[in-house]
Amino acid sequence: MKSLIQDLNKKIAILGGGQLGWMMILEGRKYPFTFYVMDEPDAPACRIADKCFRPEDYKEMIEKADVVTFEFEHVKDEALNYAEEQGKLYPDINAVELKRERWKEKTYYKDHSLPTPRFYVAEDGEEALKILKEEFNNIGVLKQSKGGYDGKGQYFIRGDVDKYLFIKDMKCKFVVEEFVNYDYEASIIAMRDKNGNFKAYPPTFNYNEKGILIYNYGPLNDIRFEEIARRLAEYLGYVGTMGIEFFVRNGEILINEFAPRVHNTGHYTLDSAFISQFEQHLRAIGGMELGDTRLLSYGGMVNILGTDKVPPEVSKFGKVYWYGKSEVKKRRKMGHINVVGEDLEDVKQKIDNIISLIYPEGFDL
Amino acid sequence: MKSLIQDLNKKIAILGGGQLGWMMILEGRKYPFTFYVMDEPDAPACRIADKCFRPEDYKEMIEKADVVTFEFEHVKDEALNYAEEQGKLYPDINAVELKRERWKEKTYYKDHSLPTPRFYVAEDGEEALKILKEEFNNIGVLKQSKGGYDGKGQYFIRGDVDKYLFIKDMKCKFVVEEFVNYDYEASIIAMRDKNGNFKAYPPTFNYNEKGILIYNYGPLNDIRFEEIARRLAEYLGYVGTMGIEFFVRNGEILINEFAPRVHNTGHYTLDSAFISQFEQHLRAIGGMELGDTRLLSYGGMVNILGTDKVPPEVSKFGKVYWYGKSEVKKRRKMGHINVVGEDLEDVKQKIDNIISLIYPEGFDL
């Protein structure tokens, strides 16, 4: 007889040992999986892995593993490529490739008629400033094509182009994008398994500041987000969990970017759903059926950024996930707090209470 | 400023490394706790502890720990006593003491007017059989006072006293109890913190066979269970999570027994509640506020007993918790499957589906 227990007796290697890998292991421990992590030994996921491999030992880890995944797409390229060559990488390199350069991701949306803000690709800084002037009247966003995430390498220019003349000398590729004066930001967490089955959680409302997520909550009831996620997942032949971030402007929804991995705006599924985004990812790449994505409760999340001063009162309102990072740094995601509630208003109130407790003097980002 | 993160930077030692300790650690990993476990290295909780101590090293572990708890009350007595002497044991030795001998537990209920089946204490087997005849007309239950759990050391006698004459020569104490022809079994999971705050989850319907829980589901809406739990917890000055099992007969509720620890009938709280029984236990003994005990969903649980043949289809209906025990044995709890549902009927249907898949030929107990 086929048994799930023997089926799942698999070695899953995770490239990157941050909080996303840490939660993947926390959620996967209930199954017979063995977890390898590639990172330094004090990384959150390394501390709870069955075995931690240093980045230079990536080949050994990948050869020993049955399945390789990643918790961060900007991890050591050689390791991602090697796992792909070995036929073990989920999601596969196509999804990673789009994230290696912004122009590829944006162009992919355009080529597949997926809605995204208007943009142009510039070969260097000089061309970027020229496009900004000619196409956008000096109001827009210049994004370095390579190496930008968490708001890095992005310049929001609102007519004050004089301050940004240094960009003229930059020899890298840029994406020049319209400035979207959005009503709100949103995201969806979706997943697809090896047989092509697709599921998604309800979308959420997100609040970012300086390129970093502060809090999110949901559900947001609008089926269009799921339709876009389904199309993207199918075009990519995607396997695993993904997150897609959107701008919503006058009822129009536009993809800001997607992440080929579990996502910060899906942490609320640890508590508001029966099966979390982390478990769904493991189910997809490990060869199980995807679980139900209906929410059991209204829910949300607040990030703990750049501090370990968390007043004990927060546990009245929510559940703390503390990643155990070795050092507190400005803007660093140290942990998060999940909340559930009777309705959106209740969730939002709890989030506000938690924010007042953790950031009594505002965010220091 | 007082910070939860520094507050919870505590070493929690767990006596016993079975699945209850394993789930305590899984649920506690999100906090800054460090976990020690006393058991053999291949025990489920030892495999994921920060440090595993062999039973003979209990003193070292207890001295290094800030707080000591147990996942099983019939664990090494010297360790429980030593932790109590050091003032580190939660719940304390009073609760354990009642479980060391059944007559003490039963007498405690009687002395505190807590409802329990009618019983007498016998000094040996001869007296037990005499009481059975005189008080119960040879229909009743004889329970060895010491060392009995999971249905061990219990004799259900229904007039066929001839088969049990060997008891006459047994020199141990017995509890002689009326046979309760119950309508159903139920239980409640309750908890109390160091400041005397008390909470309880809604009760559940339980199904046991041969002294082992097969499945349970809830909620069962009846406030009387909580009132009894509150009284017991307050009488004992209890700190931590407890489980109380009941018989329900013609609307009357009777305590069968209590467990001074997290309990098999509370596993459903991992998925049906925001804060699980395991996290509540850690909150109580670790000095946090207790969390909400309202259910987010109808839910239940099926035990995986004595087999590792788990058809993959079960993951359509529920979430598998596989304890990773080194060997399959008859009657051994190898794992369990949690389900959630729209209503009790939906939960019960999923439980039935899972039972048909795991036990196609019935239970082998």
Side-chain angles (χ1 to χ4, degrees), chain A residues 1 9 13 44 56 146 150 197 202-203 286:
Chain A
M1 193 184 90
N9 186 6
E56 58 268 30
K146 249 187 173 158
D150 271 355
N197 297 304

mmCIF file of all heavy atoms in Angstrom, chain A residues 1 9 13 44 56 146 150 197 202-203 286:
data_model
loop_
_atom_site.group_PDB
_atom_site.id
_atom_site.type_symbol
_atom_site.label_atom_id
_atom_site.label_comp_id
_atom_site.label_asym_id
_atom_site.label_seq_id
_atom_site.Cartn_x
_atom_site.Cartn_y
_atom_site.Cartn_z
ATOM 1 N N MET A 1 0.837 -1.207 0.000
ATOM 2 C CA MET A 1 0.000 0.000 0.000
ATOM 3 C C MET A 1 0.871 1.255 0.000
ATOM 4 O O MET A 1 1.866 1.324 0.694
ATOM 5 C CB MET A 1 -0.888 0.002 1.250
ATOM 6 C CG MET A 1 -1.994 1.019 1.175
ATOM 7 S SD MET A 1 -2.947 1.082 2.730
ATOM 8 C CE MET A 1 -2.038 2.337 3.626
ATOM 9 N N ASN A 9 9.061 10.932 3.160
ATOM 10 C CA ASN A 9 10.376 10.735 3.758
ATOM 11 C C ASN A 9 11.412 11.259 2.773
ATOM 12 O O ASN A 9 12.163 10.496 2.168
ATOM 13 C CB ASN A 9 10.557 9.242 4.050
ATOM 14 C CG ASN A 9 11.837 8.976 4.809
ATOM 15 O OD1 ASN A 9 12.537 9.911 5.218
ATOM 16 N ND2 ASN A 9 12.153 7.711 4.978
ATOM 17 N N ALA A 13 15.938 20.593 0.514
ATOM 18 C CA ALA A 13 17.001 21.573 0.745
ATOM 19 C C ALA A 13 16.456 22.961 0.464
ATOM 20 O O ALA A 13 15.806 23.194 -0.559
ATOM 21 C CB ALA A 13 18.182 21.280 -0.168
ATOM 22 N N PRO A 44 18.312 32.032 11.096
ATOM 23 C CA PRO A 44 17.132 31.444 11.753
ATOM 24 C C PRO A 44 16.810 30.007 11.309
ATOM 25 O O PRO A 44 16.632 29.121 12.153
ATOM 26 C CB PRO A 44 16.012 32.421 11.386
ATOM 27 C CG PRO A 44 16.697 33.749 11.268
ATOM 28 C CD PRO A 44 18.051 33.431 10.656
ATOM 29 N N GLU A 56 29.370 27.650 0.587
ATOM 30 C CA GLU A 56 30.376 27.033 -0.299
ATOM 31 C C GLU A 56 30.143 25.534 -0.482
ATOM 32 O O GLU A 56 30.687 24.932 -1.407
ATOM 33 C CB GLU A 56 31.798 27.320 0.205
ATOM 34 C CG GLU A 56 32.107 26.853 1.614
ATOM 35 C CD GLU A 56 31.856 27.911 2.691
ATOM 36 O OE1 GLU A 56 30.955 28.758 2.498
ATOM 37 O OE2 GLU A 56 32.562 27.894 3.723
ATOM 38 N N LYS A 146 18.954 45.470 -11.928
ATOM 39 C CA LYS A 146 19.569 44.360 -11.192
ATOM 40 C C LYS A 146 19.689 44.660 -9.707
ATOM 41 O O LYS A 146 19.986 45.791 -9.330
ATOM 42 C CB LYS A 146 20.982 44.122 -11.721
ATOM 43 C CG LYS A 146 21.137 42.830 -12.479
ATOM 44 C CD LYS A 146 22.584 42.576 -12.833
ATOM 45 C CE LYS A 146 22.734 41.192 -13.441
ATOM 46 N NZ LYS A 146 23.937 41.089 -14.255
ATOM 47 N N ASP A 150 13.332 45.125 -1.569
ATOM 48 C CA ASP A 150 13.038 45.874 -0.337
ATOM 49 C C ASP A 150 13.269 47.376 -0.526
ATOM 50 O O ASP A 150 13.785 48.057 0.362
ATOM 51 C CB ASP A 150 13.907 45.366 0.834
ATOM 52 C CG ASP A 150 13.230 44.210 1.575
ATOM 53 O OD1 ASP A 150 12.077 43.873 1.244
ATOM 54 O OD2 ASP A 150 13.861 43.637 2.475
ATOM 55 N N ASN A 197 -2.592 21.713 -10.513
ATOM 56 C CA ASN A 197 -3.694 22.233 -9.701
ATOM 57 C C ASN A 197 -3.295 23.569 -9.095
ATOM 58 O O ASN A 197 -2.163 23.731 -8.627
ATOM 59 C CB ASN A 197 -4.038 21.256 -8.575
ATOM 60 C CG ASN A 197 -4.524 19.941 -9.126
ATOM 61 O OD1 ASN A 197 -5.475 19.898 -9.891
ATOM 62 N ND2 ASN A 197 -3.829 18.863 -8.789
ATOM 63 N N PRO A 202 -7.546 34.324 -0.289
ATOM 64 C CA PRO A 202 -8.129 35.624 -0.613
ATOM 65 C C PRO A 202 -7.034 36.700 -0.531
ATOM 66 O O PRO A 202 -6.099 36.563 0.263
ATOM 67 C CB PRO A 202 -9.163 35.845 0.504
ATOM 68 C CG PRO A 202 -9.437 34.488 1.065
ATOM 69 C CD PRO A 202 -8.171 33.714 0.908
ATOM 70 N N PRO A 203 -7.118 37.752 -1.345
ATOM 71 C CA PRO A 203 -6.117 38.830 -1.291
ATOM 72 C C PRO A 203 -6.185 39.585 0.034
ATOM 73 O O PRO A 203 -7.128 39.417 0.815
ATOM 74 C CB PRO A 203 -6.526 39.754 -2.448
ATOM 75 C CG PRO A 203 -7.537 39.026 -3.232
ATOM 76 C CD PRO A 203 -8.162 37.996 -2.341
ATOM 77 N N GLY A 286 6.664 18.879 -2.453
ATOM 78 C CA GLY A 286 6.883 17.548 -1.880
ATOM 79 C C GLY A 286 5.994 16.480 -2.475
ATOM 80 O O GLY A 286 6.147 15.301 -2.176
#
